[in-house]
Amino acid sequence: MILDILKKYFAIFPGKKNINGSNSDREGADDLNLLRNLIDRANDSIEVLDPETGRFLYVNERGCRDLGYRREELLKLTIFDVDPSVDPSLLTQMTEEVSAKDSKIWEGIHLRKDGSTFPVEVNIKMAAISRKYLIAVARNITARKQDAEALKRSEQKYRDIFNYAPVGIYQSTLEGRFLTVNDQLVRILGYDSVDELLQKNMAGDIYFNPGEREFFITHYDPNVPVHNMEVRWKRKDGTPFWIELSSHAVKDSQNHVLFFEDFVRDITLRRQAEDETKKERKLLRTLIDHLPYPIYFKDREARKIIANLADVENIGCANEAEALGKTDIELFEGEIGHRGYADDQKVLESGLPILNREEVFSDKNTGLQRWLLTSKIPLFDETGKTNGLVGIGRDITYRKKAEEQIQKLTKSVEQSPSSIIITDVSGSIEYVNPKFLEITGYNKEDIVGKNPRILKSGKMSDEVYRQLWETIVSGNTWKGELVNRKKNGELYWEWVTVTSIKDEAGQITNFIAIKEDISARKQMEAELIKAKEKAEESDRLKSAFLANMSHEILTPLNSIIGFSELLQDNDFDDQQKKEFLSHVIDNGNSLLSIVSDIMDISKIESRQIELRKTPVSVNQFLSRLIERSEFLPEKKDLRIRIDINSEDCIIITDKERLNQVFNNLISNAVKFTDQGYIQIGYRNEGDIVTFYVKDTGIGIPEEFHEIIFERFRQIETEKNRKYGGNGLGLAIAGSLVEMMGGKIWLDSSPGKGSVFYFSIPCNPVTDDNLQDRKS
């Protein structure tokens, strides 16, 4: 029965009858098997339903597999069990509709045995043999649904891409009418909506120059897949701007253009950037060409590809073209070219720069020696590989010559015999040369950063320093003498020249002081002044001495002559003549003493006196000295005392000169002492013996203590002075003591007498002394 129903449904085997009857022949059985196989192997689920109850009467193998049941299980179920979208009322409605329309197709959901569902498309027909049957062909449309959903998503994705693409997209006719436009194009052109833009014509409303659109259509080559160009469009407000247009023609089967599908990118900023880049490149090239430094670029083979004017001049070429495409070996002769090329290769191969290398070469134009400070820096491509280098040179010829000059000046300053100080504008010391350190005793750590006032001695007035500072800060030069103090406190004189150092703008940047140590000169000047004063004083003293000598010599000489004349007069008796003769003798001795002193002082000055040293007993010498009565004149109430040590002292000296010293000192004491005593003595002090002559005379003021031993010096210089003398006695005594290796001094004050001291070395008697004496 079911096969009859299906046979009728599918309208197959129309010439056969009773295919399931007992009278069927062999051919009918084969048809029946074929039909059964076809139905079971069908790709769709074939179901026979009772239209009244909805119960399954038959389900093919595909239906069983789709629903997950065995056929026996399905025949116990109804369509309501496997399709939740169908209820009895809907079944009745479908049955009526199928009866009226012969078939009905709808999409439903089938429920598998395991509870899962899948979409189906159901085609229902009515079949009637002995009764009515519903035949449903259910096709699993899961894949179709998935494809439809994928297509829907793809369409939405395309629509989203079209609308939200960062570039403008449109389709247009050959006449320039928009077919479709995306939102980005609307924004690029500044319109309010897609509909507004669709009303515009490209040539008249969009192209800034309408002729460009016409030229593009006229010259369009349909064989080129995509045309790329840069043109100017205009926005809704008329503002021009640049776009990059990629145009693609959509063609029919005969290769005729149907419409254009184009992509638009706003490149206004890029074009502006490119314009700016061009300007910057032009400006950079202008700048490079006018820089005084050689600048060049080289490719991977070390060939020049750019050379500025300074580099062209440096190479010796007439223009840049002569230098381009050449290596240093081709541009420079000899070692210079090979050295430059080797440096280029080193930079290109290692990728490391060569910085600030000094190079010397001969100028091709002048033949003079020049120096360059050269740096070569590698250039890299996007992959990090070295594809060239840039070279920068700086002509340092002037600097090198300046350095040589500075080196000479530095050596001059460092080796200068004058002290040199350099300070900043506030007066803080920045530099001192070695001579300054040598003279002052300071080291650099002591002096750098300090003010030159560290040298102030306090011997100069503040006005001097004020004038110095005012002079140099005004840009002028100050010169003068200063007395300064060394680190050890010693004073010294300097001749100082202080001036300012100015920059190119005339602003004072430093002060420099050049100082010459004039201490020796100042000392020499002082000595010269002292010598001059002494010479003047000596001249004055000599004048006084000569005046004195005229008195001291003429007086005894006149007396001698006078009394000698009286001796010839017979009117005088013998007693009187004897007195006259005594006066002649006394004045002759006095005159002899004066002449003797003059001879002695002359010998001392001409260094003609020689000492004859012999052992001398001090006690014996002084005892014999005091025995001489001629020291004491009869008219004076004087006594001579002697202090002799209990232990005798033997010295090696010139006895005659020692006696002369005592004679002069005792005579001086007798002359200035009217009453009292004169005492002589000595002290044995080891290596030296100190003698003294003490008197109770008039004394000597302290201001004369230093000069009393000078020649021609006397306390009184008037001709009619109370005390006579030639002023040479103490000078001779002092000179003789110094010749014997000793010194002389005195202790005296007016009215309290005087004590003259002199000391000489002992030189005790030894075997050598005795041998010297015998020889």
Side-chain angles (χ1 to χ4, degrees):
M1 179 63 69
I2 295 301
L3 289 178
D4 290 337
I5 296 170
L6 294 176
K7 178 181 177 182
K8 182 178 181 179
Y9 176 80
F10 291 107
I12 59 174
F13 310 124
K16 300 294 180 178
K17 295 182 179 179
N18 300 322
I19 59 174
N20 57 346
S22 57
N23 297 323
S24 63
D25 52 17
R26 184 73 178 177
E27 186 178 355
D30 292 338
D31 290 341
L32 181 62
N33 290 331
L34 177 61
L35 178 60
R36 182 180 291 111
N37 288 332
L38 287 174
I39 293 173
D40 282 338
R41 294 179 182 180
N43 289 327
D44 297 328
S45 174
I46 301 176
E47 306 161 356
V48 179
L49 304 174
D50 185 341
E52 295 180 358
T53 63
R55 186 172 60 84
F56 287 108
L57 299 177
Y58 174 80
V59 180
N60 69 347
E61 289 295 330
R62 178 58 185 257
C64 293
R65 288 197 304 272
D66 286 347
L67 292 171
Y69 290 96
R70 297 193 309 277
R71 183 177 286 118
E72 294 79 7
E73 293 176 326
L74 281 174
L75 294 179
K76 296 178 182 179
L77 301 177
T78 66
I79 188 63
F80 311 121
D81 296 322
V82 299
D83 194 341
S85 62
V86 179
D87 58 21
S89 61
L90 181 60
L91 180 63
T92 302
Q93 180 182 350
M94 287 192 298
T95 301
E96 294 175 352
E97 291 177 354
V98 168
S99 298
K101 297 181 179 179
D102 191 38
S103 67
K104 180 178 177 59
I105 299 175
W106 88 96
E107 291 185 2
I109 299 296
H110 275 190
L111 179 66
R112 293 188 180 93
K113 181 179 179 180
D114 60 7
S116 62
T117 61
F118 61 94
V120 292
E121 182 185 72
V122 182
N123 189 331
I124 297 180
K125 285 188 176 182
M126 181 70 72
I129 298 180
S130 60
R131 52 172 291 197
K132 291 182 177 181
Y133 298 92
L134 284 177
I135 301 175
V137 178
R139 176 170 294 175
N140 189 336
I141 59 173
T142 300
R144 192 180 77 185
K145 283 286 187 178
Q146 290 175 345
D147 291 342
E149 185 64 26
L151 178 62
K152 183 178 180 182
R153 288 195 302 270
S154 177
E155 289 176 351
Q156 184 62 41
K157 183 177 180 180
Y158 173 79
R159 186 175 301 278
D160 290 342
I161 292 173
F162 181 78
N163 286 323
Y164 297 108
V167 297
I169 304 174
Y170 69 90
Q171 295 175 340
S172 66
T173 65
L174 275 67
E175 297 76 20
R177 181 173 57 83
F178 284 115
L179 297 176
T180 59
V181 297
N182 70 344
D183 294 339
Q184 181 65 16
L185 185 66
V186 174
R187 286 191 289 270
I188 289 174
L189 291 168
Y191 285 90
D192 298 329
S193 65
V194 171
D195 293 337
E196 182 183 12
L197 183 56
L198 289 175
Q199 303 303 316
K200 302 299 178 180
N201 181 273
M202 296 191 66
D205 299 321
I206 304 303
Y207 276 81
F208 184 76
N209 183 358
E212 291 182 351
R213 167 73 181 178
E214 296 175 4
F215 180 83
F216 169 70
I217 296 298
T218 303
H219 295 81
Y220 187 84
D221 185 355
N223 295 317
V224 177
V226 178
H227 288 266
N228 295 310
M229 68 198 79
E230 293 182 2
V231 295
R232 279 193 303 172
W233 279 8
K234 59 183 177 181
R235 305 188 199 276
K236 180 181 179 181
D237 60 6
T239 304
F241 68 102
W242 284 93
I243 66 160
E244 182 182 62
L245 181 65
S246 296
S247 181
H248 165 67
V250 178
K251 295 171 284 186
D252 60 13
S253 57
Q254 284 76 35
N255 204 34
H256 295 145
V257 176
L258 300 176
F259 59 89
F260 293 107
E261 189 172 60
D262 299 345
F263 294 86
V264 176
R265 186 184 302 274
D266 187 345
I267 60 170
T268 304
L269 295 178
R270 192 188 78 187
R271 286 293 294 248
Q272 291 175 350
E274 290 175 352
D275 291 342
E276 289 298 323
T277 300
K278 291 178 181 179
K279 291 179 182 178
E280 289 177 0
R281 285 179 179 175
K282 185 176 180 180
L283 178 62
L284 181 60
R285 184 55 197 252
T286 303
L287 176 63
I288 289 175
D289 277 340
H290 289 83
L291 283 174
Y293 310 128
I295 299 176
Y296 54 85
F297 293 83
K298 295 183 179 180
D299 61 16
R300 187 67 183 83
E301 283 71 38
R303 297 173 300 198
K304 284 204 173 179
I305 55 177
I306 294 177
N308 74 341
L309 296 178
D311 187 51
V312 172
E313 180 182 357
N314 181 58
I315 297 170
C317 295
N319 51 56
E320 183 183 19
E322 289 186 12
L324 299 184
K326 298 178 181 178
T327 66
D328 278 4
I329 295 178
E330 299 170 285
L331 294 171
F332 297 99
E333 297 179 355
E335 189 270 339
I336 295 176
H338 288 281
R339 183 182 64 209
Y341 183 76
D343 286 346
D344 293 343
Q345 292 299 318
K346 183 178 179 181
V347 172
L348 292 169
E349 292 173 4
S350 68
L352 300 175
I354 294 176
L355 302 176
N356 298 328
R357 172 173 290 178
E358 289 190 4
E359 297 181 346
V360 60
F361 62 95
S362 296
D363 192 304
K364 292 183 179 180
N365 298 320
T366 64
L368 299 177
Q369 194 177 52
R370 293 175 59 189
W371 284 268
L372 278 182
L373 191 66
T374 302
S375 294
K376 295 181 179 181
I377 303 168
L379 299 174
F380 302 96
D381 60 17
E382 295 80 0
T383 64
K385 294 183 179 180
T386 306
N387 64 351
L389 63 85
V390 58
I392 302 174
R394 184 155 58 93
D395 192 328
I396 58 171
T397 304
Y398 177 80
R399 194 193 78 184
K400 291 293 289 186
K401 292 182 178 178
E403 286 177 354
E404 291 178 358
Q405 187 67 20
I406 290 173
Q407 189 174 13
K408 293 178 183 178
L409 293 175
T410 301
K411 288 183 178 179
S412 298
V413 170
E414 291 287 331
Q415 300 172 9
S416 173
S418 300
S419 296
I420 297 177
I421 301 176
I422 299 177
T423 74
D424 60 18
V425 291
S426 64
S428 295
I429 296 174
E430 293 182 347
Y431 170 82
V432 292
N433 72 337
K435 190 64 177 180
F436 172 88
L437 302 176
E438 175 188 338
I439 291 175
T440 63
Y442 286 100
N443 54 45
K444 285 188 177 180
E445 290 73 19
D446 295 332
I447 206 74
V448 173
K450 304 293 180 58
N451 191 283
R453 68 172 63 95
I454 194 174
L455 302 173
K456 287 180 67 174
S457 63
K459 303 294 183 181
M460 306 295 297
S461 67
D462 292 338
E463 179 64 19
V464 173
Y465 298 107
R466 185 186 65 79
Q467 290 179 356
L468 184 157
W469 183 252
E470 289 178 353
T471 300
I472 62 175
V473 296
S474 65
N476 296 319
T477 301
W478 184 90
K479 295 182 179 181
E481 294 181 353
L482 295 176
V483 57
N484 286 328
R485 190 181 301 276
K486 299 181 180 180
K487 184 177 181 180
N488 62 8
E490 180 183 344
L491 298 179
Y492 68 104
W493 280 91
E494 291 183 310
W495 172 258
V496 183
T497 300
V498 188
T499 189
S500 58
I501 301 174
K502 300 177 182 178
D503 58 17
E504 294 81 358
Q507 298 295 319
I508 296 176
T509 60
N510 295 89
F511 297 111
I512 181 171
I514 302 174
K515 310 197 295 180
E516 180 182 356
D517 187 351
I518 58 172
S519 299
R521 191 188 80 188
K522 293 292 287 186
Q523 183 179 357
M524 183 174 62
E525 288 177 356
E527 290 175 353
L528 287 174
I529 292 173
K530 186 176 180 181
K532 176 177 175 294
E533 293 174 350
K534 188 173 182 179
E536 290 174 350
E537 177 68 10
S538 178
D539 186 63
R540 185 184 65 80
L541 293 174
K542 285 180 179 180
S543 297
F545 169 74
L546 292 175
N548 183 36
M549 286 300 98
S550 65
H551 173 74
E552 293 293 330
I553 293 175
L554 289 176
T555 298
L557 188 57
N558 287 333
S559 179
I560 292 171
I561 293 173
F563 284 109
S564 294
E565 290 177 350
L566 291 177
L567 287 174
Q568 295 176 356
D569 192 343
N570 295 323
D571 293 337
F572 296 99
D573 56 25
D574 292 337
Q575 184 61 38
Q576 288 177 319
K577 289 182 178 181
K578 187 177 180 180
E579 291 178 3
F580 294 158
L581 185 58
S582 177
H583 285 295
V584 170
I585 294 173
D586 289 339
N587 284 287
N589 288 331
S590 178
L591 187 60
L592 179 62
S593 177
I594 292 172
V595 174
S596 178
D597 286 343
I598 293 173
M599 293 298 292
D600 284 342
I601 201 68
S602 177
K603 289 180 180 180
I604 290 172
E605 287 187 348
S606 62
R607 302 181 182 274
Q608 294 180 359
I609 294 181
E610 295 183 2
L611 300 180
R612 296 178 175 86
K613 295 183 179 182
T614 59
V616 177
S617 167
V618 176
N619 286 351
Q620 185 180 0
F621 173 82
L622 293 180
S623 297
R624 291 179 179 177
L625 181 65
I626 205 63
E627 292 175 357
R628 296 166 54 189
S629 59
E630 66 267 19
F631 285 125
L632 300 176
E634 296 179 358
K635 295 181 179 180
K636 290 188 177 184
D637 183 15
L638 288 175
R639 302 182 310 276
I640 294 181
R641 298 189 310 195
I642 183 172
D643 290 336
I644 297 176
N645 296 343
S646 58
E647 184 177 349
D648 195 6
C649 177
I650 306 298
I651 61 175
I652 304 299
T653 188
D654 190 320
K655 183 176 180 181
E656 296 300 324
R657 296 304 175 185
L658 181 61
N659 185 68
Q660 188 177 356
V661 172
F662 269 105
N663 284 341
N664 288 347
L665 293 180
I666 295 173
S667 296
N668 186 72
V670 170
K671 182 168 59 174
F672 293 100
T673 306
D674 292 333
Q675 60 181 2
Y677 64 90
I678 295 172
Q679 182 177 345
I680 62 177
Y682 74 97
R683 295 193 302 268
N684 187 353
E685 298 175 343
D687 292 339
I688 62 173
V689 174
T690 300
F691 298 94
Y692 61 88
V693 176
K694 183 177 181 181
D695 64 57
T696 57
I698 62 174
I700 302 172
E702 186 176 356
E703 61 267 23
F704 292 100
H705 288 190
E706 294 293 332
I707 64 175
I708 197 67
F709 297 104
E710 295 179 4
R711 296 185 299 276
F712 316 126
R713 286 286 187 179
Q714 288 181 306
I715 297 175
E716 293 181 340
T717 58
E718 297 84 358
K719 292 181 181 180
N720 297 325
R721 66 193 184 284
K722 179 179 179 181
Y723 304 99
N726 53 37
L728 295 177
L730 292 180
I732 293 172
S735 297
L736 291 175
V737 168
E738 289 179 359
M739 291 178 65
M740 291 187 287
K743 63 179 182 178
I744 189 169
W745 70 96
L746 77 156
D747 182 10
S748 179
S749 58
K752 296 184 179 180
S754 303
V755 182
F756 283 85
Y757 299 95
F758 70 92
S759 62
I760 59 176
C762 288
N763 292 325
V765 179
T766 64
D767 293 339
D768 293 336
N769 298 139
L770 294 175
Q771 183 65 33
D772 291 340
R773 182 184 177 191
K774 292 176 182 179
S775 62

